Amino acid sequence: EDQVTQSPEALRLQEGESSSLNCSYTVSGLRGLFWYRQDPGKGPEFLFTLYSAGEEKEKERLKATLTKKESFLHITAPKPEDSATYLCAVQPGSSSNTGKLIFGQGTTLQVKP
Amino acid sequence: DTAVSQTPKYLVTQMGNDKSIKCEQNLGHDTMYWYKQDSKKFLKIMFSYNNKELIINETVPNRFSPKSPDKAHLNLHINSLELGDSAVYFCASSQVYGGGETQYFGPGTRLLVL
């Protein structure tokens, strides 16, 4: 069964304290792995798409990496405005005729000044 | 210039009522989706449409009926609302589907059934 698990569920950091969020997945063929940011009361905001193991993408203080079993979202020197819930999702090969995304439960990040 | 928009933003109603949620995208995408986010923030797909044709119906009760009048709009009608329908409903769209295309989400409709 296709599955996505994110850890930790919650993470508290001091401003400037770098850390990583984990997304472990089990899928039958990977079409794409997606990272989204969700602020309270808002919709998921797209961050990155990764397609194959070894791929990396960066945006400001965020860097996403991908292996065959997991993805990491590295946050370097976070600021309070990085506080949000970060969602990981995969599109399995079995979804090639539907586009369905399977989401993890999210990691809620709080960055204190 | 909102990419994916939904109305209403909030919806409070009584059990047994019928309600609709509307979604519009101005990205020129061919595929649109409805997702449900429960109280634990877990997002799960409900439906997807490509060019007004249903692709996915993810074991959703038939009280939920999506309708796509054109490829820029995907509405969700819910009959005989139940307490368990309380959740946040998100509309999303993508250029096409199945090839790892990015899905862009709307702001959500917060439904509370009393």
Side-chain angles (χ1 to χ4, degrees):
Chain A
E1 181 185 353
D2 299 322
Q3 195 169 0
V4 178
T5 304
Q6 292 185 246
S7 61
E9 283 192 23
L11 182 62
R12 289 183 179 180
L13 299 173
Q14 288 296 131
E15 184 172 2
E17 180 186 3
S18 301
S19 188
S20 297
L21 313 183
N22 178 264
C23 171
S24 297
Y25 62 92
T26 305
V27 294
S28 51
L30 180 69
R31 289 282 176 166
L33 184 141
F34 305 85
W35 282 99
Y36 289 87
R37 170 191 170 129
Q38 187 174 23
D39 292 300
K42 298 198 174 179
E45 175 189 347
F46 170 70
L47 293 174
F48 303 108
T49 307
L50 301 168
Y51 293 105
S52 56
E55 191 174 358
E56 299 182 352
K57 288 193 177 174
E58 284 188 72
K59 179 181 178 181
E60 296 180 354
R61 295 177 293 281
L62 300 177
K63 179 180 178 180
T65 62
L66 181 64
T67 72
K68 288 186 177 180
K69 292 185 178 181
E70 57 191 351
S71 176
F72 291 94
L73 185 65
H74 306 280
I75 304 177
T76 302
K79 297 181 178 182
E81 53 262 41
D82 294 323
S83 298
T85 296
Y86 291 85
L87 300 171
C88 173
V90 297
Q91 187 177 93
S94 58
S95 298
S96 61
N97 60 345
T98 66
K100 167 182 168 181
L101 290 182
I102 298 173
F103 279 85
Q105 75 276 31
T107 294
T108 299
L109 172 65
Q110 184 181 27
V111 182
K112 294 189 174 183
Chain B
D1 61 343
T2 304
V4 182
S5 59
Q6 296 178 227
T7 55
K9 187 172 182 179
Y10 299 98
L11 191 50
V12 181
T13 188
Q14 300 288 328
M15 277 178 54
N17 284 350
D18 302 338
K19 290 293 180 184
S20 292
I21 306 172
K22 294 185 177 182
C23 177
E24 176 181 1
Q25 55 94 3
N26 62 6
L27 297 168
H29 289 167
D30 285 344
T31 308
M32 296 183 72
Y33 311 81
W34 278 112
Y35 285 84
K36 179 180 179 180
Q37 188 171 45
D38 60 25
S39 57
K40 295 186 177 181
K41 296 193 175 180
F42 189 64
L43 268 163
K44 187 173 181 181
I45 193 160
M46 300 173 69
F47 301 101
S48 73
Y49 268 73
N50 185 65
N51 254 327
K52 303 192 295 176
E53 290 191 14
L54 179 67
I55 306 171
I56 307 173
N57 179 340
E58 194 73 3
T59 60
V60 176
N62 57 16
R63 297 183 296 104
F64 291 80
S65 53
K67 289 187 180 177
S68 182
D70 55 61
K71 71 176 191 177
H73 296 83
L74 181 62
N75 303 323
L76 184 64
H77 188 76
I78 315 170
N79 290 325
S80 304
L81 278 155
E82 301 178 355
L83 294 176
D85 297 332
S86 296
V88 184
Y89 293 85
F90 288 100
C91 177
S93 73
S94 64
Q95 182 65 43
V96 286
Y97 65 94
E101 293 81 12
T102 299
Q103 294 180 21
Y104 296 91
F105 285 77
T109 295
R110 285 139 191 87
L111 172 65
L112 177 61
V113 183
L114 302 173

